Amino acid sequence: MNDTNKYRELASKWLNGSITEIEKEEFLAWYKAHIDEQVEIPSNFAKDEMELKQRILSNVKSAIQQPDRPQTSKVRSLTTKMRAAAASIIALAIFGLGYYYFTDRGGEVMHIGLEDVNPGKNKALLSLGDGSVIDLQEAGQGLIVGEQLHYMDGSVLESTLFNNIDSESSLVTLSTPRGGEYQLKLPDGTRVWLNAASSIRFPRKFSRNRREVELLAGEAFFDVATNSMGGKKIPFFVKNNEQLVEVLGTQFNINAYDKKLGIVTTVAEGSVAVKSNNKPNNHDRIVLAVGMQTVVNEKGITKYQVDPAQYVAWKEGYFYFNDANIYTVLQAFERWYDIDVNYEKVRSDDLFYGKLPKNVTLDKALHILKTAGVHFELKNGRQLTIKNK
């Protein structure tokens, strides 16, 4: 049995409770050999070693039980590298519900030598049709658009610019920067969550027979309200250059970050119909139910069966990586921490699994890369360079 399989077996034994004390020591010694620094466990996270162990094991189990996902390319196995096995078996799983690591037995605490870069927060800009811009950076969790503008905490946003625009024809755009996210309640009661570096355009007031918004960039989660007129449901559409989504149910996610991959639409509740705009005379219309997904790109439209939790975790405050390469991980970090990433290392076979809270600072988020053997340097607080090994 090679070393990688040996430690996979030990991880499995720990999960099912059959591991011996000697094997525990061996497994932890191997794990510590692949982690450069440890930080102290705060008392409000775990009161004793037993509670910490239970949290770790719970997250390891979650990481091992991977959901299905579309295979857009051949995925390289991590089993060829021990440090990659560390990432896939235990390292990222430990970060699943927190960013805490083991303290060594001597009590010495080591820290990553990076300046803290704070995670993103609620901030956005509301752009009106006449070019006026309202800064929502200091607002609460989100904005309610009605006859007036209200924050979701109930306070009124006084804006004569907004109140004076033509409510029937003017379009309004809500945009989040890198390092920002925002919630929006549209005039019909539909709720929208915008991820970092995203924007959505919508009318000041919907018409009586059709509701339509445009996802201009980035990623958004929709919880669409049911509206009727004269006993007939008013349809709701989300459009962009590549596709048109007709809402037949309620909750779904659209990710338009990666133009090369395509527009990814995932249904969490209800159903939607997706039509590709990319090919002339393309009349394909695919209906998606819960747990289904389409990817629309220049080749057309493809349907998959997936676990929606992976694709909506960002809305719940998590990064969720499943067979993600280093570039996918760092693209998410770029958007959320508002950093710029450069690569001396041109390729990587390492894949990352599991959930990581978005409320941790950058140095703690980057520890998952250190665990997988990735070398990097952060300069000027925002310039991250991935180094050759």
Side-chain angles (χ1 to χ4, degrees):
M1 181 183 298
N2 61 36
D3 286 340
T4 298
N5 288 336
K6 176 180 179 181
Y7 291 110
R8 285 184 182 276
E9 181 179 347
L10 290 181
S12 178
K13 283 186 174 183
W14 201 329
L15 281 175
N16 62 34
S18 64
I19 193 169
T20 67
E21 290 301 318
I22 294 177
E23 288 172 329
K24 282 183 183 180
E25 294 294 328
E26 182 180 4
F27 186 86
L28 288 176
W30 167 78
Y31 169 70
K32 285 188 176 184
H34 294 83
I35 189 166
D36 297 323
E37 291 89 11
Q38 295 87 25
V39 299
E40 191 171 8
I41 302 165
S43 59
N44 63 355
F45 180 73
K47 63 183 179 181
D48 54 35
E49 182 182 353
M50 180 59 69
E51 182 180 343
L52 175 63
K53 184 176 75 170
Q54 292 303 317
R55 288 186 179 221
I56 292 173
L57 295 184
S58 174
N59 290 312
V60 172
K61 185 175 181 180
S62 297
I64 290 175
Q65 295 174 346
Q66 296 299 324
D68 294 334
R69 70 177 201 94
Q71 300 294 323
T72 56
S73 62
K74 185 176 180 180
V75 179
R76 286 186 167 270
S77 171
L78 291 180
T79 58
T80 58
K81 296 182 180 180
M82 185 179 296
R83 63 169 171 261
S88 64
I89 294 173
I90 190 169
L92 186 51
I94 287 177
F95 309 135
L97 294 177
Y99 46 88
Y100 309 104
Y101 314 74
F102 290 106
T103 303
D104 67 13
R105 295 198 173 194
E108 181 180 0
V109 178
M110 303 292 289
H111 299 275
I112 303 172
L114 297 174
E115 298 177 34
D116 267 1
V117 175
N118 289 324
K121 60 183 180 179
N122 293 310
K123 55 183 176 179
L125 295 175
L126 189 69
S127 302
L128 308 181
D130 64 356
S132 303
V133 177
I134 302 172
D135 188 351
L136 305 174
Q137 181 170 348
E138 300 303 321
Q141 289 189 335
L143 185 71
I144 300 173
V145 179
E147 294 301 323
Q148 291 183 302
L149 296 177
H150 290 79
Y151 292 130
M152 288 186 176
D153 64 5
S155 59
V156 177
L157 172 58
E158 298 292 347
S159 173
T160 55
L161 293 173
F162 180 81
N163 294 335
N164 290 336
I165 64 176
D166 184 346
S167 62
E168 292 295 333
S169 59
S170 293
L171 296 176
V172 182
T173 302
L174 183 73
S175 303
T176 56
R178 294 201 310 180
E181 63 182 9
Y182 216 71
Q183 294 184 39
L184 171 68
K185 190 173 183 179
L186 295 171
D188 67 332
T190 292
R191 297 189 66 182
V192 183
W193 287 255
L194 277 188
N195 207 344
S198 302
S199 59
I200 185 174
R201 180 184 293 148
F202 56 95
R204 171 70 173 80
K205 186 176 182 180
F206 289 115
S207 70
R208 296 186 177 186
N209 55 11
R210 183 183 177 94
R211 298 174 291 166
E212 184 174 281
V213 301
E214 183 175 6
L215 182 61
L216 301 173
E219 184 171 26
F221 180 89
F222 296 83
D223 186 353
V224 178
T226 300
N227 277 204
S228 300
M229 178 65 67
K232 184 179 180 180
K233 288 185 178 181
I234 303 174
F236 191 102
F237 297 88
V238 182
K239 68 176 183 179
N240 56 29
N241 291 334
E242 289 77 18
Q243 70 178 24
L244 179 67
V245 175
E246 179 182 358
V247 179
L248 307 174
T250 51
Q251 298 183 4
F252 59 99
N253 192 79
I254 300 179
N255 184 328
Y257 282 129
D258 190 339
K259 299 299 183 182
K260 185 179 297 184
L261 171 63
I263 311 301
V264 182
T265 303
T266 309
V267 177
E269 182 178 306
S271 61
V272 303
V274 182
K275 182 181 181 297
S276 172
N277 298 331
N278 281 337
K279 287 196 172 184
N281 303 319
N282 182 0
H283 300 292
D284 290 344
R285 179 176 180 271
I286 294 180
V287 176
L288 301 180
V290 176
M292 298 177 70
Q293 177 184 90
T294 53
V295 176
V296 173
N297 53 33
E298 60 183 10
K299 297 179 181 179
I301 183 168
T302 308
K303 182 171 67 173
Y304 301 99
Q305 188 76 36
V306 299
D307 179 358
Q310 174 183 347
Y311 299 91
V312 302
W314 68 269
K315 182 181 78 73
E316 306 301 329
Y318 292 94
F319 299 105
Y320 193 137
F321 302 120
N322 181 23
D323 286 354
N325 61 31
I326 188 173
Y327 307 107
T328 299
V329 172
L330 287 172
Q331 283 168 1
F333 288 176
E334 272 189 302
R335 290 190 294 265
W336 186 236
Y337 294 99
D338 190 15
I339 59 173
D340 295 313
V341 180
N342 301 297
Y343 297 88
E344 289 182 5
K345 182 177 177 59
V346 296
R347 63 187 299 273
S348 173
D349 294 334
D350 295 339
L351 301 180
F352 298 85
Y353 307 80
K355 293 167 66 176
L356 175 70
K358 292 171 64 179
N359 63 357
V360 302
T361 55
L362 178 63
D363 64 334
K364 297 178 177 67
L366 288 176
H367 204 102
I368 66 173
L369 303 183
K370 295 176 72 69
T371 304
V374 177
H375 298 277
F376 53 82
E377 181 179 24
L378 184 68
K379 291 183 177 180
N380 303 321
R382 300 285 176 183
Q383 302 294 321
L384 182 70
T385 299
I386 306 302
K387 314 287 285 186
N388 285 311
K389 294 182 180 180

